[in-house]
Amino acid sequence: MKSLLALAFVLLTAAPAFAQTSDEASAVEDIVVTARRIEAPLWEVRRGDAVLILVGSIDGLPRDMEWRTDALVSAVDRADRVLFPPQAQGSLADVGRLIWRMRTLTRLPDNRTSADYLSPELEARVEQATGEGPSRNSMMLLSADLMERGGYARRARPVSDLVRRAARTNRTPAEPVSVFRGDELVDRVLTTPPERYLDCIAAAVAAAEIGEAEGAKRAEAWRTRRIPAVLASPLEKATNACSYWAVMEQGEALRSLWNTAANEALSRDGVTFAIVPLVVLAESDGVLDRLERDGLEPVGPDWRAPAP
């Protein structure tokens, strides 16, 4: 249900346009030094007078987790522009459709249960993890339940929300890398068959089987910038497998959006601050690998797993 409310929120959220600001060298260096104090995975990339600061974000971080959010807000305050993940922009009618079709979003069709879609082995693991019989909840809600059992924070605090509030408060030019029509997003969510969630459920139950301690372990690895450990976390794998982009088979489109955004940011003087899903940055052939192949040097923690 929380996911549905979040979706309704983004449908009504608009973003301001970019504006050009000063690129004085001393101001740029001050922003970079401040950003480096953030306890989060962060890379600095330069091309001429353009500086791109990439912050690798993950979802499901506890609200009471302590990390240098003050440094993050301070760096955003003085950046020339900020980039956010893609968002949907729609109308009250789109939100109304979500509410009208609530049963479609929360229940499996035709009185079916999870046992009608999952293999016997996977269904047995799900029932063992939840302590219940076959579920009538939609795959979206079932995966959310499993991920919470695996340590995904119920009251999560997205990194992008902190940055968005800071940018809005200080009127820092900010925008998402892409805006999608709300009605198209709603149609996709409403018409996606349960079978599309099978990989998501398999990853989510693997996290649930480890338990809530996995969430704290993953969060600490993120805070201390141990990128391979974060990406190897069963909870991180579940979060990525159950994302809108994975379920809708739009992963390549997301990578393309961020590659294009990085190129554009590095063609503009000044400091661009970007909040990017960590997996998009650090996966094999991700944004960081591509920037390095282009002859640039992402300065930050090692994002590759050690060679065998």
Side-chain angles (χ1 to χ4, degrees), residues 179-240:
V179 176
F180 294 94
R181 288 176 48 185
D183 58 344
E184 292 180 351
L185 184 146
V186 170
D187 283 340
R188 283 182 176 176
V189 172
L190 290 175
T191 59
T192 298
E195 291 86 352
R196 195 77 68 79
Y197 285 85
L198 296 184
D199 290 343
C200 160
I201 297 297
V205 76
E209 288 168 340
I210 297 176
E212 293 184 359
E214 174 61 19
K217 181 179 177 182
R218 165 179 171 262
E220 181 62 13
W222 178 82
R223 188 186 68 80
T224 55
R225 307 181 184 185
R226 291 181 286 119
I227 313 306
V230 178
L231 297 183
S233 162
L235 180 57
E236 179 65 10
K237 291 180 179 179
T239 302
N240 294 325

Side-chain angles (χ1 to χ4, degrees), residues 154-288:
R154 181 183 296 272
R155 298 179 65 248
R157 178 177 60 175
V159 176
S160 58
D161 278 5
L162 289 170
V163 176
R164 185 177 286 109
R165 284 199 297 270
R168 185 183 301 118
T169 299
N170 294 281
R171 298 185 178 180
T172 303
E175 69 177 16
V177 292
S178 181
V179 176
F180 294 94
R181 288 176 48 185
D183 58 344
E184 292 180 351
L185 184 146
V186 170
D187 283 340
R188 283 182 176 176
V189 172
L190 290 175
T191 59
T192 298
E195 291 86 352
R196 195 77 68 79
Y197 285 85
L198 296 184
D199 290 343
C200 160
I201 297 297
V205 76
E209 288 168 340
I210 297 176
E212 293 184 359
E214 174 61 19
K217 181 179 177 182
R218 165 179 171 262
E220 181 62 13
W222 178 82
R223 188 186 68 80
T224 55
R225 307 181 184 185
R226 291 181 286 119
I227 313 306
V230 178
L231 297 183
S233 162
L235 180 57
E236 179 65 10
K237 291 180 179 179
T239 302
N240 294 325
C242 296
S243 70
Y244 168 85
W245 299 94
V247 172
M248 302 299 167
E249 300 179 345
Q250 296 292 307
E252 286 300 322
L254 180 63
R255 297 181 190 96
S256 178
L257 286 172
W258 277 113
N259 281 326
T260 299
N263 287 338
E264 292 178 352
L266 289 168
S267 69
R268 302 179 64 178
D269 292 351
V271 178
T272 301
F273 212 92
I275 308 301
V276 192
L278 181 61
V279 66
V280 174
L281 289 175
E283 66 184 344
S284 178
D285 202 32
V287 173
L288 293 172

Side-chain angles (χ1 to χ4, degrees), residues 14-178:
F18 279 170
Q20 188 67 35
T21 58
S22 172
D23 62 339
E24 296 179 0
S26 59
V28 168
E29 295 307 319
D30 187 42
I31 296 169
V32 171
V33 170
T34 300
R36 287 174 180 167
R37 291 199 287 265
I38 299 170
E39 289 182 335
L42 177 148
W43 292 267
E44 168 200 343
V45 186
R46 295 180 182 241
R47 178 186 284 157
D49 292 329
V51 179
L52 174 60
I53 297 176
L54 300 162
V55 178
S57 67
I58 62 174
D59 293 331
L61 292 172
R63 284 186 175 272
D64 59 356
M65 175 181 170
E66 294 185 3
W67 57 286
R68 293 295 303 278
T69 56
D70 56 334
L72 176 64
V73 172
S74 180
V76 170
D77 286 350
R78 288 171 284 174
D80 293 300
R81 61 197 71 88
V82 178
L83 292 176
F84 295 112
Q87 71 179 38
Q89 185 173 340
S91 65
L92 285 173
D94 297 320
V95 178
R97 286 184 64 203
L98 286 175
I99 296 174
W100 176 257
R101 299 288 300 277
M102 189 65 69
R103 182 173 179 81
T104 302
L105 294 169
T106 60
R107 292 289 183 179
L108 290 170
D110 304 323
N111 291 319
R112 293 185 177 182
T113 70
S114 55
D116 293 310
Y117 298 96
L118 306 181
S119 67
E121 178 186 3
L122 184 55
E123 174 64 25
R125 291 173 63 195
V126 169
E127 293 183 21
Q128 179 68 29
T130 61
E132 301 174 356
S135 175
R136 294 187 181 277
N137 287 338
S138 69
M139 293 296 185
M140 182 172 64
L141 291 188
L142 177 58
S143 65
D145 178 29
L146 290 168
M147 285 196 295
E148 285 184 5
R149 295 173 187 272
Y152 191 99
R154 181 183 296 272
R155 298 179 65 248
R157 178 177 60 175
V159 176
S160 58
D161 278 5
L162 289 170
V163 176
R164 185 177 286 109
R165 284 199 297 270
R168 185 183 301 118
T169 299
N170 294 281
R171 298 185 178 180
T172 303
E175 69 177 16
V177 292
S178 181

